[in-house]
């Protein structure tokens, strides 16, 4: 009897897969005229740099050949998303110099969180531009941009058309710093886990706010394997028995996995509540962990060691971070990068190199790590 149940399950699974594939084949590629992004340093293209202090060289050295407001040696996943859709790189909403918002705007800033934090940047904490503030900036931008654009002249060349807002792709990549706030705020693993439902609840509220402004196509990244980041490995307490085969810290990764589980549950709930919304959940965690745990297989090396940093097993020291000027034996020197960032996974202990970002993008663009398994260019369609 059990074998018939298994066969029945496989038949239903095949039918559902075929049905999804048929829907996908019948659908046309989306023509996204713009992208509006919400997030943290994983997708910040110059927000924090414009508002506060820009990163120093060697940030940006690989592609831009100078600091470009990004916390990497070059392009981010967000840049590759824009490229693949035939759009210009997103200008940061907060950047008043040389910005062009014709095809969208980026509200992400490094150190941003979903929930507001008590410790600000001057205390070594987090950005004041948490997710609700980013939504409020978007709301203001949406309204004001159309009033100003209607004045004509140059404004028509640097601000988006009104019809772009409902047609645009809305991307989210945020949550890593909410976990960091707990871990580096001396909370236990159990205590950080206990904060996650409230964090996700706030995400739900802010997402609905963006939807209520007319957004309909969404591309949501989950969070990283936190226990694989050099700054976590070098700074957080851990027992010798708590490392996995890749050298990552199991308890911290488990918290990230719990965050992702609750985020995915919320995305499923939102998809049911909002039938006109096409929401794609992207498992960035799985892709990044695959790269870190099998780095050599994919042409990379030293996945747990920062390319740009100073000292120790993981080449990370918060007091001598990438681009900082430090004194060594009485001589001032700049903390620089490794010889070949193109074969390294981690850039500065927290963020990924351009090469890693490109590899990660290549894995997710076709929908292989998405739920539903929708390619980026089809993310405007809602599949049953």
């Amino acid at each position: 009897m059990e074998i018939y149940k298994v066969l029945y399950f496989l038949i239903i699974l095949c039918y559902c897969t075929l049905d999804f594939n048929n829907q996908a084949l019948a659908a046309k590629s989306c023509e996204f005229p713009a992208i509006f992004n919400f997030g943290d340093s994983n997708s910040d293209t110059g927000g924090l740099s414009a508002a506060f202090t820009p990163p120093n060289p060697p940030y940006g050295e690989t592609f831009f050949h100078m600091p470009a407001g990004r916390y990497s040696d070059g392009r981010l996943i967000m840049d590759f998303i824009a490229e693949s859709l035939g759009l210009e790189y997103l200008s940061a909403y907060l950047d008043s110099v040389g910005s062009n918002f014709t095809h969208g705007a980026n509200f992400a800033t490094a150190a941003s969180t979903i929930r507001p934090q008590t410790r600000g940047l001057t205390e070594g904490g987090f950005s004041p531009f948490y997710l609700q503030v980013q939504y409020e900036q978007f709301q203001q931008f949406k309204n004001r941009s159309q009033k100003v654009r209607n004045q004509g002249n140059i404004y028509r060349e640097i601000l988006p058309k009104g019809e772009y807002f409902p047609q645009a792709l809305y991307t989210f990549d945020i949550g890593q710093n909410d976990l960091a706030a707990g871990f580096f705020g001396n909370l236990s693993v159990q205590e950080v886990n206990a904060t996650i439902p409230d964090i996700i609840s706030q995400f739900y509220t802010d997402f609905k706010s963006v939807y209520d402004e007319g957004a309909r196509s969404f591309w949501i990244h989950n969070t990283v394997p936190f226990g694989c980041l050099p700054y976590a490995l070098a700074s957080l307490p851990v027992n010798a028995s708590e490392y996995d085969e890749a050298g990552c810290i199991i308890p911290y990764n488990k918290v990230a996995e719990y965050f992702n589980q609750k985020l995915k549950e919320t995305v499923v709930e939102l998809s049911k509540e909002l039938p006109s919304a096409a929401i794609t959940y992207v498992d960035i965690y799985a892709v990044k962990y695959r790269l870190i745990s099998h780095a050599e297989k994919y042409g990379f090396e030293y996945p747990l060691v920062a390319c740009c940093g100073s000292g120790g097993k993981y080449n990370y020291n918060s007091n001598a971070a990438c681009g900082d000027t430090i004194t060594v034996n009485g001589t001032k020197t700049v903390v620089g990068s490794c010889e070949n960032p193109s074969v390294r996974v981690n850039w500065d202990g927290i963020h990924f190199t351009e090469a890693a970002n490109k590899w990660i993008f290549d894995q997710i663009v076709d929908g292989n790590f998405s739920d539903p398994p929708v390619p980026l260019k089809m993310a405007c369609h809602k599949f049953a």
Side-chain angles (χ1 to χ4, degrees):
M1 194 67 182
E2 288 299 319
I3 192 168
Y4 292 111
K5 291 181 179 178
V6 172
L7 287 171
Y8 177 76
F9 172 77
L10 291 173
I11 290 169
I12 294 298
L13 180 63
C14 289
Y15 175 80
C16 292
T17 303
L18 287 169
D19 183 59
F20 177 85
N21 289 338
N22 288 336
Q23 291 181 62
L25 287 170
K28 294 181 180 179
S29 292
C30 308
E31 298 293 335
F32 293 117
I35 303 170
F36 296 101
N37 181 63
F38 305 85
D40 53 29
S41 55
N42 290 306
S43 60
D44 180 3
T45 55
L48 195 77
S49 173
F52 297 102
T53 304
N56 297 318
Y59 282 93
E61 67 176 10
T62 295
F63 182 79
F64 301 100
H65 308 299
M66 59 183 289
R70 292 153 173 82
Y71 291 85
S72 178
D73 61 312
R75 289 166 291 181
L76 310 178
I77 295 171
M78 177 51 55
D79 293 312
F80 293 116
I81 288 175
E83 279 186 13
S84 73
L85 297 178
L87 302 176
E88 298 294 323
Y89 298 139
L90 286 187
S91 291
Y93 169 76
L94 294 171
D95 193 351
S96 60
V97 179
S99 291
N100 188 319
F101 301 110
T102 306
H103 297 289
N106 194 349
F107 302 91
T109 63
S112 284
T113 52
I114 295 173
R115 293 195 308 177
Q117 302 296 318
T118 56
R119 240 176 355 117
L121 290 170
T122 55
E123 295 83 40
F126 301 92
S127 168
F129 306 110
Y130 52 92
L131 187 55
Q132 182 183 339
V133 173
Q134 292 182 25
Y135 154 67
E136 290 169 352
Q137 291 172 334
F138 165 71
Q139 184 184 45
Q140 185 175 169
F141 175 81
K142 179 173 177 278
N143 295 330
R144 292 183 61 205
S145 66
Q146 297 313 290
K147 293 177 182 177
V148 174
R149 191 176 189 278
N150 288 337
Q151 296 175 20
N153 301 319
I154 186 65
Y155 300 118
R156 288 189 173 274
E157 298 176 18
I158 62 172
L159 293 172
K161 297 178 181 179
E163 60 264 31
Y164 284 5
F165 288 95
Q167 298 170 1
L169 179 66
Y170 290 78
T171 53
F172 289 79
D173 191 333
I174 195 166
Q176 178 178 325
N177 290 321
D178 291 88
L179 303 186
F183 292 136
F184 288 96
N186 297 318
L187 296 185
S188 68
V189 165
Q190 293 76 18
E191 288 171 328
V192 177
N193 258 340
T195 67
I196 288 174
D198 187 55
I199 294 169
I200 298 299
S201 175
Q202 185 61 52
F203 177 87
Y204 171 91
T205 299
D206 296 331
F207 180 96
K208 288 282 292 289
S209 296
V210 175
Y211 174 86
D212 288 342
E213 288 294 324
R216 290 299 180 266
S217 301
F218 300 92
W219 183 265
I220 301 173
H221 292 180
N222 66 9
T223 200
V224 300
F226 196 92
C228 299
L229 299 176
Y231 88 132
L233 289 159
S235 310
L236 295 173
V238 60
N239 297 323
S241 62
E242 293 180 324
Y243 295 96
D244 66 14
E245 292 181 356
C248 303
I249 307 172
I250 296 170
Y252 299 129
N253 277 354
K254 289 293 184 185
V255 173
E257 290 170 8
Y258 178 59
F259 174 94
N260 291 338
Q261 174 194 329
K262 303 307 289 184
L263 176 63
K264 188 172 184 180
E265 289 173 1
T266 297
V267 167
V268 170
E269 181 183 346
L270 285 164
S271 294
K272 292 176 180 177
E273 284 185 27
L274 309 172
S276 63
I279 310 175
T280 306
Y281 171 91
V282 185
D283 192 357
I284 285 288
Y285 180 105
V287 183
K288 289 185 174 179
Y289 188 79
R290 177 180 291 187
L291 175 58
I292 291 165
S293 58
H294 298 92
E296 191 171 329
K297 175 182 176 181
Y298 300 115
F300 291 84
E301 59 187 22
Y302 310 120
L304 304 180
V305 179
C307 169
C308 184
S310 178
K313 180 179 178 180
Y314 303 105
N315 199 36
Y316 177 81
N317 181 345
S318 61
N319 295 315
C322 181
D324 284 356
T325 299
I326 60 174
T327 301
V328 179
N329 299 324
T331 302
K332 287 188 174 182
T333 184
V334 174
V335 177
S337 63
C338 57
E339 184 176 348
N340 190 3
S342 68
V343 296
R344 299 295 285 274
V345 173
N346 193 281
W347 168 243
D348 59 4
I350 304 172
H351 310 101
F352 287 69
T353 61
E354 173 179 288
N357 285 329
K358 179 62 166 65
W359 187 91
I360 293 161
F361 170 76
D362 287 343
Q363 310 313 302
I364 66 172
V365 66
D366 292 328
N368 296 323
F369 289 85
S370 298
D371 187 8
V374 178
L376 176 65
K377 290 185 178 181
M378 307 282 278
C380 63
H381 300 291
K382 189 180 183 78
F383 295 104

